[in-house]
Structure formats: C-alpha cells, structure tokens
Amino acid sequence: MERADSSDLACGVVLHSAPGYPAFPVRLATEIFLRARARLPQEHPMTLWDPCCGSGYLLTVLGLLHRDALRQLVATDADPDPLELAAKNLALLTPEGLSAREDERREQSVRFGKPAYLDAADAAVRLRERLDCGGGALPYALRTADVFAPASLAAALAAPDGAEGGPAIVPDLVLTDLPYGERTHWEGEVPDGAPVSAMLRSLASVLPGHAVIAVTDRSRRIPIAPVPALERLKIGTRSAVLVRAGDVLDARP
C-alpha cells in the first residue's frame, strides 16, 4: 500500500472522527482483509460486514482501498449513537460524498486560514479518483443490530427498506475489531463468560457456511475454542483470528 493512501485515510483528514471512537490501523486492515479474502472459495466481488462498526471507519477505509473487490458493505452496531458518524463516513463511498467533503475542507481552509484543510481537500480528490477507478459508488446498508442476538442480526440482513420480498443480504466476509474497554465497550445482550465465542455463534447462524469471520482484539490471543482457527496473526498490540462460519456451527457444544 502506498504511503499516500495511509495519510489520506487518517482519521480527521477526509474521514470523520469524534472523541471516543478509535481508528484502526490502515495497513493492518488491508492485510487481514486480503488474508480473509484468500480463504473464500471464489474471487468475486463480495459483501463485507462489520457487526461492531462504531464510527464506520474500518469499513469506509476498506471500501475506499478495495472497491474493485467489493459488491456491498453492511455496517451494524448495537449502539445507535455512533451510527450518525458512521453514516457520514460511509457517505464518502460515493463520488458525490467525496466531492462534498472536498468542498467543505476548501471552505474551512479559507474560513480558518489553515493550509491543512486545503491538504485534506486534495486528499478527498485523490480518494474520489481511486473510488472511480475501482468501480464508483459502493452500496452499503447501515442498521442497528445486537451482535449477540441472531434474530436482530437476521433482521439487519433482511431485504433493504422498500424491497419487500426481495433477497436478503448475504455477507461473504465479516471483519470487526472487538470492543476492548478503553474507549469502547460491548453493548446489547452480552453473555457471561465467553463473549467472543457467543458472538461467533450468533454471526455464524446468519451466514453461509463458506463465509469467513475475521476478528481483531487488543490481546495476546483471542479465545475461540472449540472452533478451529483458519489463521492467527499478532501484529503490534493487536491479535487477529480467522474462522469459517461453517466450522463455528460444527463446533457448537
């Protein structure tokens, strides 16, 4: 990945940020995404889902960097508060959204007399060009859903509003950064004991068997037993584990 890409995607440059909603390392996001994609049975445009999306930063970054590999994004969270920020970020997955952000940053550079805002406007131009080259606007669904409640997740993946009787959304890949207690925390019907295993079972119940679930956390090792891991990574302060949805269901006690 080019250095310019990481700089353009930093929180608060083009993408929106707010106190209490941490970003995710851009290079790590791409590495996990590509490793998970390689585990899918076919290479075709996929649907990517973040069920703990928070501000939507992780999904938006992946959408901008890997537009050509994606068909649709799904962003859900049990907490409705950050979804307004997520909506602003996901709107940057359209040329119109990036043009509006460019105009906003140019106006701010004049109003506040800060060259950094002009640099941010130029970054929005580069991201728009990248999005156009990758295939243009990327469709997305943004909804509230409890990651521990299969019925809530199934409702979030139902046909889009206004498409009564239409096909449900079928994610191929789940990629999410777990709440880790410093600035974010679990919401919803959090089970006692093993929230990660409970989350995997809930997700797997609404996914096709071939789907890959990639989970990251600030820990030495993410506990998923008895589910077999497809792959584990440890990079810096974060660990990641990849599992297949079908394996999660087969490993149920």
Side-chain angles (χ1 to χ4, degrees):
M1 189 189 309
E2 298 175 1
R3 182 179 296 275
D5 291 337
S6 296
S7 175
D8 291 348
L9 292 164
C11 255
V13 178
V14 177
L15 275 71
H16 299 272
S17 63
Y21 297 107
F24 190 90
V26 173
R27 294 175 184 272
L28 179 56
T30 278
E31 180 168 354
I32 296 172
F33 174 81
L34 293 177
R35 286 174 180 264
R37 181 189 181 195
R39 297 283 183 171
L40 294 173
Q42 295 180 343
E43 283 201 10
H44 57 75
M46 70 184 77
T47 295
L48 172 64
W49 178 20
D50 184 349
C52 303
C53 72
S55 69
Y57 178 83
L58 175 58
L59 274 183
T60 304
V61 163
L62 290 173
L64 290 168
L65 290 180
H66 303 285
R67 171 64 184 91
D68 59 342
L70 294 166
R71 177 175 62 247
Q72 183 180 17
L73 299 181
V74 184
T76 61
D77 202 291
D79 183 0
D81 290 343
L83 295 187
E84 183 176 350
L85 184 59
K88 291 181 178 180
N89 279 325
L90 292 168
L92 299 174
L93 294 169
T94 67
E96 296 80 10
L98 286 167
S99 292
R101 186 63 164 156
E102 176 198 354
D103 292 343
E104 180 184 27
R105 285 313 204 192
R106 293 196 188 282
E107 186 276 330
Q108 289 171 334
S109 73
V110 173
R111 189 190 341 155
F112 299 112
K114 291 187 176 181
Y117 286 128
L118 195 58
D119 293 339
D122 292 339
V125 172
R126 291 189 292 270
L127 291 176
R128 184 176 67 239
E129 291 172 348
R130 181 170 192 137
L131 185 68
D132 285 337
C133 289
L138 179 57
Y140 62 86
L142 176 62
R143 297 170 183 177
T144 303
D146 182 355
V147 74
F148 297 112
S152 177
L153 296 179
L157 298 177
D161 294 340
E164 185 175 351
I169 300 170
V170 182
D172 303 286
L173 173 58
V174 173
L175 203 168
T176 196
D177 189 33
L178 298 180
Y180 40 83
E182 294 177 4
R183 285 179 287 181
T184 58
H185 59 276
W186 289 112
E187 296 280 354
E189 300 176 6
V190 185
D192 293 331
V196 176
S197 295
M199 181 191 74
L200 291 177
R201 290 193 297 271
S202 183
L203 289 169
S205 72
V206 298
L207 291 169
H210 74 265
V212 173
I213 306 171
V215 176
T216 70
D217 190 20
R218 290 192 176 183
S219 64
R220 295 184 60 186
R221 186 177 178 86
I222 302 172
I224 59 169
V227 179
L230 295 173
E231 188 172 357
R232 286 185 179 273
L233 298 84
K234 182 71 170 71
I235 304 175
T237 61
R238 277 184 170 87
S239 295
V241 63
L242 279 61
V243 302
R244 196 172 304 282
D247 291 343
V248 175
L249 295 180
D250 291 341
R252 283 185 302 184

